[in-house]
Each structure stands twice: as structure tokens, then as C-alpha cells.
């Protein structure tokens, strides 16, 4: 259960993750992978009691959590992680991790290999999950899983109270408020100052956890009897049908070669610039705007679609 807030101005991720682990062998150590750019503020159990943790010296993406008691093989334990950070620069992060996760003013991408939430046995692990992602109101979140309900408006955070040393004057000494005319009043806040929460549920065990956020426009289109969700910039919305037609032809061929997909209703979306040029996740195909032409790149779409079988239906047996 992951709740993440994206600050596109400060380019920072703030997140909390509650994860259920099952012990393969009796142990009191839980080892997870988490992007080295993310600072872990705390790890606790379900009662809120702090649990000891440390980063690996040789591999800072490894996070070791030491439990107070040994967990028997087959038993489960739930841990809550609180963490935050920015996916910028190479000083503390590898170039690959910086490219797989990116937050900027024009959009954000959180790809699963970036390990932006605690993972074990990547890339072999599969799991159910719920992801709740908060973004500015001018952005749309697209990703793995099924959206639940409509995006919810997040109430603004209350303004911080002034420190005692800088306390405001007492009411009796306060200067009378001067009425502000409409000409001098500040403009109303833009959608960038609003916050919207998107919720995605993953009920079937899969390698979920890939998301993009950007000012995208949804075009639901139909091709060869299949419903596709195509997310593009408003300027390229007229290409949605051609991409759906191309993908439908590709799926028709692969269905005859490999067997039909259980859920052929795929989502195609533009991934913000500054990250990978393309990426495939369960039920999701991502293409960068610089590769998104008026005529679809059939070879690129074919490669991404093939990963719904080879990587999705057929997966790694171990790391």
C-alpha cells in the first residue's frame, strides 16, 4: 500500500509504503531494494514502533531492516516505510536510476526498475498492491493497475504558524485591513496549486508500480473490437486512432503466434521527456513525445507489445 506525493516544483517525492512480507526462511532480517536517492526517515511496525534499519555500505540501494524477533518460515510481517528524495544528479545516484525516475515541472515518471518503493527479488517478484499518487491538478496520472473511482481533490495544507520570536502583533495592535480592489487583487490560484489524488488497485499478482504524470488528454478509441486508452498531449490527440489501429494489428498477429492476452485492453501513453524513450509494463505502453509521430512507429509498438507476453505472461524465475 503506497501513498506518494509528487512536488513538481521542488522535484521531490514524499512517500509512505506499508508492505506485507512473507518469510522464506526463519529470519529477523528483511532486506529490500530502494532507490539510493531516497532518504528513509523511519521504518516501523504496525503499532507504530520504530524498527532498526541501515543502508548497505557496498550497495546503497539495499536497505536492511532488523526485526526485534525472529519470524518463522511461512509467517508474515508488515512494515511501514517513510521516505523522500529527489531523483536528480549523479552524485548519489547512478545515471540509470536517475533516468528511470524523474520529477519535473512538465511531468514525472516513476518506472518500476527505479525501485521508487521498497521491492524484493526484483525483477522476479509479483504482488498485489494499491497505489495512491498525489499530483498537481493540471496533471493526469497513468499507470499499472485499475483506477478506482474518480480522482479526489486533496485539501490544501494549513499555513505554518509563525515562530514565537516572529509572532504577529496582537489583535489590538493590528493595522486595519485595507479593502483590495479587483484590479489589484492577485489572480486566482492555477490548477498547478491544486492537488489531485489518483488511486490504482492491482488485484492480480503482477510487476506493478510504473506510473507517469503529465498534462495528458485521454482519448478512448476502438480498433478491431478492442478498447484502447490513449493518453497524449492535447496537440497530438488526433493521432490516437492511428496508434490504436497499429497496435490492434500487432496484437492480432501476436495472438495467433503466442495465444491471446487475458486483458487486451491496453493503455498507450506519452512518457515525459528526460527519461527513457519507451517502456512497457503490464497493460501499459509508454512512448516519449520525441518518438510520437503522426504515423506510428510499428517496430517500436511491436517491441513494446511483445513484452506483454515476454516479460508479462512469461517472467523471470529469479533475480
Amino acid at each position: 500500500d503506497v501513498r506518494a506525493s509528487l512536488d513538481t516544483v521542488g522535484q521531490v517525492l514524499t512517500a509512505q509504503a506499508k508492505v506485507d512480507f512473507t518469510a522464506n526462511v526463519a529470519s529477523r532480517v528483511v532486506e529490500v531494494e530502494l532507490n539510493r536517492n531516497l532518504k528513509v526517515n523511519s521504518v516501523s511496525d504496525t503499532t507504530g514502533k520504530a524498527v532498526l534499519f541501515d543502508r548497505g555500505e557496498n550497495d546503497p540501494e539495499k536497505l536492511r531492516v532488523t526485526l526485534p524477533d525472529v519470524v518463522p518460515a511461512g509467517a508474515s510481517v508488515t512494515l511501514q516505510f517513510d521516505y523522500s528524495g529527489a531523483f536528480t544528479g549523479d552524485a548519489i545516484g547512478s545515471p540509470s536510476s536517475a533516468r528511470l525516475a524523474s520529477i519535473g515541472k512538465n511531468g514525472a515518471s516513476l518506472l518500476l526498475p527505479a525501485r521508487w518503493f521498497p521491492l524484493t527479488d526484483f525483477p522476479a517478484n509479483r504482488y498485489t498492491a494499491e497505489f495512491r499518487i498525489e499530483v498537481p491538478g493540471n496533471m493526469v496520472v497513468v499507470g499499472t493497475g485499475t483506477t478506482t473511482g474518480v480522482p479526489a481533490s486533496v485539501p490544501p495544507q494549513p499555513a505554518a504558524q509563525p515562530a514565537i520570536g516572529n509572532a504577529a502583533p496582537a489583535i489590538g495592535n493590528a493595522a486595519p485591513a485595507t479593502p483590495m480592489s479587483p484590479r489589484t487583487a492577485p489572480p486566482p490560484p492555477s490548477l498547478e496549486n491544486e492537488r489531485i489524488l489518483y488511486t490504482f488497485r492491482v488485484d492480480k499478482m503482477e510487476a506493478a508500480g510504473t506510473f507517469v504524470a503529465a498534462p495528458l488528454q485521454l482519448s478512448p478509441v476502438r480498433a478491431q473490437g478492442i478498447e484502447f486508452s490513449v493518453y497524449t498531449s492535447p496537440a497530438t490527440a488526433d493521432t490516437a486512432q492511428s496508434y490504436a489501429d497499429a497496435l490492434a494489428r500487432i496484437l492480432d498477429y501476436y495472438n495467433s503466434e503466442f495465444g491471446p492476452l487475458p486483458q487486451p485492453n491496453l493503455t498507450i501513453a506519452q512518457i515525459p521527456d528526460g527519461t527513457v524513450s519507451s517502456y512497457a509494463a503490464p497493460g501499459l505502453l509508454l512512448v516519449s513525445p520525441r518518438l510520437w509521430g503522426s504515423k506510428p512507429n510499428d517496430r517500436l509498438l511491436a517491441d513494446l507489445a511483445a513484452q506483454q507476453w515476454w516479460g508479462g505472461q512469461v517472467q523471470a524465475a529469479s533475480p
Side-chain angles (χ1 to χ4, degrees):
D1 185 356
V2 180
R3 167 72 184 257
S5 177
L6 306 185
D7 177 0
T8 56
V9 177
Q11 302 182 10
V12 172
L13 169 79
T14 303
Q16 299 81 39
K18 184 173 72 172
V19 187
D20 299 329
F21 299 93
T22 300
N24 292 327
V25 296
S27 176
R28 56 178 299 196
V29 175
V30 179
E31 187 174 86
V32 302
E33 298 176 43
L34 187 66
N35 190 291
R36 66 189 68 192
N37 292 281
L38 299 173
K39 176 187 176 183
V40 179
N41 303 312
S42 66
V43 180
S44 59
D45 60 19
T46 53
T47 67
K49 183 179 179 181
V51 181
L52 295 176
F53 66 91
D54 63 273
R55 288 277 197 181
E57 294 183 2
N58 299 324
D59 186 356
E61 285 195 341
K62 292 291 179 68
L63 180 72
R64 290 171 54 91
V65 180
T66 305
L67 303 173
D69 301 304
V70 173
V71 178
S76 298
V77 63
T78 300
L79 295 175
Q80 302 183 79
F81 300 80
D82 184 285
Y83 56 97
S84 59
F87 303 103
T88 56
D90 296 335
I92 56 175
S94 65
S96 59
S97 65
R99 294 184 67 229
L100 293 171
S102 172
I103 301 176
K105 295 181 180 180
N106 298 322
S109 61
L110 300 172
L111 307 186
L112 179 63
R115 296 152 170 85
W116 65 273
F117 61 95
L119 284 171
T120 60
D121 292 336
F122 177 83
N125 203 350
R126 299 295 186 267
Y127 36 82
T128 59
E130 180 171 285
F131 295 93
R132 289 169 291 161
I133 301 179
E134 179 188 324
V135 295
N138 66 325
M139 293 191 178
V140 173
V141 180
V142 185
T144 49
T146 304
T147 55
T148 60
V150 297
S153 178
V154 179
Q157 295 295 322
Q161 297 297 319
I164 294 177
N166 299 321
I171 294 177
N173 298 326
T178 303
M180 186 174 291
S181 73
R183 295 177 180 273
T184 58
S190 68
L191 285 174
E192 294 184 6
N193 295 324
E194 297 182 10
R195 305 289 294 177
I196 302 294
L197 184 68
Y198 288 79
T199 302
F200 296 81
R201 284 193 59 84
V202 181
D203 296 320
K204 176 187 175 183
M205 297 184 70
E206 62 184 25
T210 290
F211 298 93
V212 296
L216 300 173
Q217 176 176 320
L218 168 61
S219 298
V221 290
R222 189 175 182 86
Q224 296 191 21
I226 303 175
E227 295 286 347
F228 296 100
S229 298
V230 184
Y231 289 84
T232 66
S233 65
T236 56
D238 59 348
T239 63
Q241 187 64 57
S242 63
Y243 273 75
D245 291 339
L247 185 56
R249 291 192 300 270
I250 292 167
L251 293 182
D252 184 58
Y253 172 75
Y254 284 158
N255 284 334
S256 65
E257 291 291 308
F258 310 136
L261 281 179
Q263 296 180 336
N265 308 100
L266 303 180
T267 295
I268 319 170
Q270 291 182 0
I271 185 172
D273 282 327
T275 179
V276 296
S277 58
S278 62
Y279 188 77
L284 179 66
L285 279 59
L286 300 176
V287 179
S288 71
R290 63 181 180 273
L291 296 181
W292 192 287
S294 57
K295 181 180 179 181
N297 183 330
D298 288 338
R299 184 177 293 274
L300 175 62
L301 288 180
D303 177 72
L304 294 174
Q307 295 179 55
Q308 300 301 312
W309 282 267
W310 309 103
Q313 301 300 305
V314 178
Q315 59 199 43
S318 67

